[in-house]
Amino acid sequence: MGFFTKDIKTLNDLFVHTLQDIYYAEQQIVKNLPDMIDKATDQTLKNGFETHLSETKDQIARLEKVFQMHGVEAKGVDCPAIDGILKEASEVAGDVDDKQVLDAALIAAAQAVEHYEITRYGTLIAWAKKLGRDDCASVLQQNLDEEKATDQKLNKLALSDVNQKAA
């Protein structure tokens, strides 16, 4: 079921579909982060990826809580967007020989992932509130706050150190 199908008739349907989308995305991120950790050579970046792997596992648990609170089964739906972002990240990382340039590429790829997650969580929070589900919105807000913080840390690391070394 995609965003523009007949299966989505109500805002609630759209909310559940998008919840399933980000659930799938978070699971794919958990599968891909270990490879990014292995490829990173900057220790601060490596540590940041390790921290975010742990946070992502917590975010999945929070999403499962939201599914439960909303009375629907926790399951994912294929998300071509995150699959594409992760595939591109893997391909770019595989093409870079210079380790310092590789770290810059990994940060760029990670930020693309973070920005996708930020848009999804922001939308889900708005829809949860419209549906009268402030309880769900509150749990989703925790994930959004972590995603924004991770994006800011990546940006700071890129601007203060990694990009300079890659230049």
Side-chain angles (χ1 to χ4, degrees), residues 76-106:
V77 294
D78 285 348
C79 174
I82 201 66
D83 288 340
I85 291 169
L86 292 170
K87 181 180 181 210
E88 180 182 32
S90 179
E91 288 173 357
V92 168
D95 291 341
V96 178
D97 291 328
D98 182 313
K99 297 302 180 194
Q100 293 170 327
V101 174
L102 175 59
D103 285 339
L106 289 171

Side-chain angles (χ1 to χ4, degrees), residues 97-162:
D97 291 328
D98 182 313
K99 297 302 180 194
Q100 293 170 327
V101 174
L102 175 59
D103 285 339
L106 289 171
I107 288 175
Q111 284 191 288
V113 170
E114 294 309 311
H115 293 183
Y116 179 79
E117 293 173 296
I118 288 166
T119 63
R120 284 292 178 250
Y121 283 119
T123 297
L124 282 166
I125 290 164
W127 289 342
K129 289 177 180 178
K130 278 290 179 199
L131 293 168
R133 297 306 311 257
D134 288 347
D135 56 341
C136 293
S138 176
V139 175
L140 293 165
Q141 185 67 52
Q142 294 174 54
N143 285 10
L144 178 59
D145 291 344
E146 285 180 358
E147 301 299 359
K148 286 181 176 181
T150 296
D151 181 54
Q152 289 173 352
K153 289 173 192 170
L154 288 166
N155 197 48
K156 182 179 177 185
L157 180 59
L159 294 175
S160 69
D161 189 37
V162 173

Side-chain angles (χ1 to χ4, degrees), residues 18-38:
T18 306
L19 196 59
Q20 292 168 336
D21 173 281
I22 195 65
Y23 186 65
Y24 172 88
E26 295 289 16
Q27 291 172 329
Q28 296 310 303
I29 292 162
V30 165
K31 289 179 185 174
N32 282 268
L33 266 171
D35 188 45
M36 294 177 79
I37 292 166
D38 289 342

